[in-house]
Structure formats: structure tokens, C-alpha cells
């Protein structure tokens, strides 16, 4: 059963879980704070957690953790006499210079200057969540884009041939070239073929050379893996679909709105499966502003445990 | 000084380099620089203002497929599928073997019997769907593409696709923004422009589809309309 699109109680449920994560971060700033662990703490699907986090708080997860560590450092500078280099190390920076650079970006002054004069104790943040020693965040601001109107769809499983790309997303064209030139010359790119992309990792939290992306083309049951071209089944079931109009580099913004703003009001939650993208036009003959991409987000009923 | 690569290709390179996922569906950044893009080479034919202009088009090579029936109907859609299937199979076969690469152009169409009086009903419209294709693509490549699609059970109407040179010469062209139903308003403007310039309409009405009607709202659809003309008698 699909429930109504705007349910304040669902939003509260999402916010409560996100507050658990925000509190956990503030209490464990000296720990590595891996995405998987944070997702688990809040009961979110790890696949999508970076997008849900960014969408709900307006800040990428890694940027939030960085800011919390810097705000704690600012606290320390104001109150104590701990040497700046020690504070830098505690904040996760291995040099004075790196710390000064990051600190200046957040507080507009260098750490030494900050210590001499009193300055704002907080860096700018849309969410309104700040480091408060011993006090955990009780609430946060989340913007609400009601313009987004995804449709709920039941999708049949998609059997696809794919080439895995590992590296910066900007270079995934190589995987497409490999896939399409082979599939094309073999006659697999006839009418009705769908071009699908799957990105697995958060570009904010994963080094660019480790980002995984699958370039996929739908195939029939008789297609067998060959060389670098593998076969996988994209799981079917309930998905939300929204069309992203515009350049591919803005896809992440649409993902964040969808998962951080629409989803908490949707009455559904994410399944722990990757999203996929369906490319509706050929970017070599289409202006970036005219590109259309359907984003599919896997959903399931909201289980309150 | 003339740039070595067409403007659109250079623009695409810049976009690709700043883009997250734009390695793109069907291109690599490396290939862009070397890739032929006919819509960039013959820019005047593919960029139309929102008022009528006269231009002279050069003979142009196309992959074409003919048909009859309502635009957007089942026959029309099946023929579009066949045309694109051939276009990408030919292109990718060349790309795989390291031959000259090129961009598969936008869908175009000519409507062959709309000038009849009275205008036939949509279900009886005869049309030719077209994709601009470089001159070096040979008939043998086309028949090879039909054969490999057949081997995969994806032949459909692919055997109906042909290579053809279309010569339209002098034309009036204009960008239409809006639904296909309202094209008649733009065509009326173009006809008035033809009259004012002392030329008469001299060939089937030609459309170049810039937008994708599957997702773009009808009032925002962009279509270049082209009417071949000749000096009035």
C-alpha cells in the first residue's frame, strides 16, 4: 500500500533517526566515523545514506564531520591554552598549515588570531546544528522542496550487460565507449534498448580513484558475459521515479532533494539497493541543458522497529 | 583564424571535462575532439532563429525510412526504433574497428503529402524519418548492420532503412516552440515570409526535432521547421 505523500509523522520519524546520527557524530569526533557505521546507528540504508544526509541537512556528511571537528577546535582555542598544533592534530589535520587553511575557510580568521580576539564560535550551517560540548542536538532545519513530484512505479527486473568503471565519475565515458562499441557492432543496440547507469559511491566521502560506476545496456536472457562485459540483474519492485532535466553534473543535487526532502515526507523508506539512472537521450547530440535522465530510487514500506 | 574543430564539439569537450557523470551515454572526452559532428559543421542548418530566414542548404546524406500513418503512432514509433537501431549499429561498428567516429544526429522527418488539397487525415500522412549521416558511410555498412541486428532478433523494420542524398537547396527555416499541433501557425508565418520575398513553396515540409516529446511539455517542444522554396513563376 502506498501512503499519502506528506506525512508529518514520517518526517518526525526520519528526523529522530537523523538526530541520533548527529548526536553520535558529536560524541565520537575522535573516531574514524565511517559512513556504514553512521548509517547503521540511525537505521538508514548505507547505499543511500550520504544522499539522505546531504538532502536533509543541506551539507555533505564528510563536510559536516569536518565542520564539527573545527567547531570543537574553535571551542578549545577560545577556552584553553592547548597548543594550536595539538588542537590541529585533535581535529584530524596532520599539519599546522592544513588546519589553518581549513579553519580560515570556516571562521574567516587564522586560529592564532581567533585565540587572541573573540570571534563567532560557529561556522555557517543551513541545518543550524553546531558543536555544543556535552549537549546533543535536539532539532535541525531541513528545507522542503515541494515542487518535486516523483511517481511511484513497480519496475520489472532489468537484465543488463555492463562495464564497471572505477575512477572519477567524469571519466565514465570510457566504460560507455567500451560497452557500446562492442554491443553495437554485435547488433545488441537495436530498438527498445535502455541505457542505464548505477553509481555506488559518495563522491564526497570516497577518493575519486575508487568511485564505482556501472555503464549498462538492457539485454535479453540469451546474452552471455564476454571479456570485460558482465551481466547483472537490477532488482525490480517498488521505485520512485523522477526526471532530472539538465546537465549530468547536477544529478547529485536532484538526488539530495529527492532523498533528503521528498523521501522523509513520502511515507516510504529506502531499500538497501543502489538507485539507477535511465538516460533518455544521447549527450553527444543533445545540449547539456536539454538532457533528460530518469532517476529510480528503490523503496519499501516504512517499518518502525 | 578558423577553429580546427567545430564550435559545438569544442563546447562539448569543455562540458565533458567539468561534468560529473557526463562521460556520457555514448562518447568519451578523448573521442570528442576527433569526432565529426555534422550539426556543428553545418551549423546554419541546425540553429534556427524564431523568425523566418532564407538559407541555401547543401545536398545532405541521410539514413532514411519511409512510412505512412499518424506521427507518434505504432508504425511511426517502430520505424524510429529501426532507424536508430541502424544508426547506432553502423556508428558503433566503425568505432569498434577504429574508423572515423561521428555523432549520431537528431531525428528529422519530411512530410510528403501534406500539401495535397484537401490535406489528408493524419492516419494517411506519408513521411520519411531521417538521421543525417556522414558521406563516408557506405551501403555495405548499412547491409551489415541489418544482418547483425537480424542475428540478434532485433531486426524489426531495419531492412527498410536506406541511405539517401536529399537536395533541398533554397529553404525558409524557423524555430517553432510549442506543440506539434500548433506548427501550422509557424508555417503560416513562413508562408507569408516566402510570399514577401517573392518565392514559392517547392517541396515537402521538413522538421528537425530538437526536443524529446516523451518528457518535454508540449508548450516547450523545440522543432526546426524547414520549407524548400523556389522563385515564384
Amino acid at each position: 500500500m502506498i501512503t499519502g505523500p506528506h506525512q508529518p509523522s514520517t518526517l518526525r520519524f526520519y528526523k529522530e533517526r537523523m538526530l541520533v546520527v548527529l548526536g553520535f557524530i558529536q560524541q565520537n569526533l575522535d573516531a574514524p566515523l565511517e559512513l556504514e557505521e553512521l548509517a547503521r546507528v540511525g537505521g538508514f540504508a548505507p547505499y543511500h545514506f550520504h544522499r539522505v544526509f546531504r538532502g536533509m541537512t543541506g551539507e555533505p556528511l564528510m563536510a559536516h564531520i569536518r565542520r564539527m571537528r573545527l567547531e570543537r577546535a574553535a571551542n578549545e582555542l577560545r577556552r584553553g591554552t592547548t597548543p594550536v598544533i595539538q588542537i590541529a592534530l585533535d581535529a584530524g589535520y596532520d599539519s599546522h598549515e592544513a588546519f589553518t587553511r581549513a579553519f580560515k575557510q570556516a571562521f574567516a580568521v587564522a586560529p592564532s588570531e581567533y585565540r587572541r580576539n573573540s570571534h563567532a564560535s560557529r561556522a555557517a550551517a543551513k541545518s543550524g546544528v553546531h558543536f555544543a560540548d556535552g549537549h546533543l542536538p535536539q532539532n535541525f532545519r531541513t528545507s522542503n522542496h515541494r515542487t518535486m513530484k516523483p511517481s511511484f512505479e513497480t519496475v520489472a527486473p532489468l537484465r543488463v550487460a555492463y562495464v564497471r568503471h572505477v575512477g572519477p565519475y567524469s571519466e565514465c565515458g570510457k566504460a560507455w565507449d567500451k560497452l557500446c562499441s562492442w554491443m553495437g557492432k554485435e547488433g545488441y543496440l537495436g530498438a527498445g534498448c535502455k541505457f542505464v547507469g548505477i553509481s555506488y559511491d559518495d563522491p564526497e566521502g570516497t577518493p575519486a580513484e575508487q568511485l564505482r560506476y556501472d555503464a549498462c545496456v538492457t539485454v535479453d536472457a540469451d546474452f552471455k558475459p564476454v571479456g570485460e562485459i558482465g551481466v547483472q540483474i537490477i532488482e525490480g519492485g517498488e521505485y520512485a521515479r523522477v526526471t532530472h532535466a539538465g546537465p549530468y553534473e547536477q544529478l547529485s543535487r536532484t538526488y539530495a532533494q529527492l532523498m533528503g526532502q521528498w523521501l522523509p515526507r513520502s511515507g516510504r523508506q529506502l531499500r538497501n539497493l543502489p538507485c539507477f539512472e535511465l538516460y533518455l537521450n544521447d549527450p553527444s547530440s543533445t545540449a547539456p541543458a536539454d538532457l533528460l535522465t530518469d532517476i529510480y530510487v528503490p523503496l519499501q514500506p516504512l517499518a518502525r522497529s | 583564424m578558423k577553429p580546427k574543430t567545430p564550435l559545438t564539439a569544442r563546447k562539448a569537450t569543455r562540458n565533458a571535462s567539468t561534468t560529473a557523470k557526463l562521460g556520457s551515454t555514448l562518447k568519451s572526452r578523448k573521442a570528442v575532439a576527433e569526432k565529426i559532428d555534422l550539426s556543428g559543421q553545418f551549423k546554419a542548418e541546425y540553429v534556427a532563429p524564431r523568425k523566418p530566414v532564407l538559407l541555401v542548404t547543401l545536398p545532405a546524406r541521410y539514413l532514411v525510412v519511409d512510412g505512412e500513418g499518424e506521427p507518434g503512432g505504432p508504425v511511426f514509433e517502430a520505424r524510429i526504433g529501426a532507424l536508430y537501431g541502424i544508426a547506432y549499429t553502423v556508428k558503433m561498428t566503425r568505432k569498434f574497428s577504429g574508423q572515423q567516429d561521428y555523432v549520431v544526429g537528431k531525428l528529422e522527418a519530411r512530410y510528403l503529402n501534406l500539401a495535397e488539397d484537401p490535406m489528408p487525415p493524419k492516419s494517411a500522412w506519408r513521411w520519411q524519418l531521417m538521421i543525417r549521416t556522414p558521406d563516408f558511410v557506405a551501403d555495405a555498412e548499412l547491409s551489415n548492420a541489418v544482418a547483425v541486428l537480424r542475428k540478434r532478433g532485433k531486426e524489426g523494420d531495419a531492412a527498410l532503412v536506406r541511405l539517401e542524398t536529399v537536395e533541398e537547396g533554397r529553404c525558409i527555416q524557423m524555430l517553432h516552440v510549442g506543440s506539434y499541433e500548433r506548427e501550422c501557425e509557424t508555417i503560416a508565418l513562413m508562408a507569408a515570409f516566402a510570399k514577401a520575398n517573392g518565392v514559392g513553396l517547392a517541396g515537402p515540409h521538413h522538421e528537425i526535432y530538437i526536443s524529446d516529446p516523451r518528457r518535454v511539455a508540449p508548450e516547450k517542444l523545440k522543432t526546426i521547421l524547414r520549407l524548400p522554396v523556389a522563385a515564384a513563376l
Side-chain angles (χ1 to χ4, degrees), chain A residues 169-170 172-173 176-177 180-182 184-191 195 199 213 241 243 248-249 277 279-286 288 292 294, chain B residues 15 18-29 35 81-82 85 88-89 92-93 95-96 103-104 106 148-149 151-152 154 212 214-216 222:
Chain A
Y169 283 146
S170 58
C172 68
W176 281 112
D177 281 349
C180 289
S181 60
W182 196 87
K185 72 136 178 131
E186 290 293 320
Y188 288 107
L189 299 187
F195 297 91
S199 7
Y213 173 86
R241 190 200 76 196
T243 303
Y248 296 140
E249 75 255 34
E277 295 160 5
Y279 305 108
L280 299 177
N281 28 33
D282 179 351
S284 56
S285 62
T286 308
L292 296 170
D294 275 347
Chain B
N15 286 333
T18 56
T19 287
K21 223 154 280 177
L22 183 74
S24 79
T25 315
L26 299 160
K27 80 176 175 206
S28 78
R29 285 162 63 193
K35 204 187 266 189
Y88 281 109
T89 303
M92 291 302 173
T93 304
K95 192 177 171 82
F96 186 83
V103 172
V104 171
K106 292 272 189 195
V148 297
L149 286 168
K151 192 171 75 181
R152 301 297 173 197
K154 288 182 173 282
D212 185 334
R214 290 172 298 179
R215 287 290 190 284
V216 176
K222 284 185 253 174

Side-chain angles (χ1 to χ4, degrees), chain B residues 83-101:
Chain B
L83 188 60
Y84 271 114
I86 288 288
Y88 281 109
T89 303
V90 167
K91 175 213 155 84
M92 291 302 173
T93 304
R94 294 186 68 90
K95 192 177 171 82
F96 186 83
S97 61
Q99 290 172 275
Q100 177 65 55
D101 193 12

Side-chain angles (χ1 to χ4, degrees), chain B residues 109-188:
Chain B
R110 293 197 296 166
Y111 292 87
L112 307 174
N113 62 344
L114 302 199
E116 284 171 13
D117 193 22
M119 190 164 92
K122 276 187 181 174
S123 58
W125 284 9
R126 286 191 296 111
W127 31 258
Q128 178 169 72
L129 300 167
M130 319 150 76
I131 292 177
R132 186 100 179 234
T133 302
D135 295 341
F136 51 68
V137 172
D139 280 313
E141 293 174 59
L142 176 55
S143 45
N144 172 68
V146 176
V148 297
L149 286 168
R150 183 178 300 141
K151 192 171 75 181
R152 301 297 173 197
K154 288 182 173 282
E155 184 185 356
D157 290 336
L160 300 176
V161 177
R162 317 185 304 278
L163 275 164
E164 198 170 290
T165 300
V166 174
E167 295 187 47
E168 293 173 312
R170 279 223 290 171
C171 296
I172 291 175
Q173 191 162 286
M174 176 172 170
L175 179 68
H176 168 75
V177 180
S179 68
Y180 299 134
E181 277 65 37
R182 298 188 69 168
E183 279 180 8
C184 49
E185 298 166 19
T186 300
I187 291 170

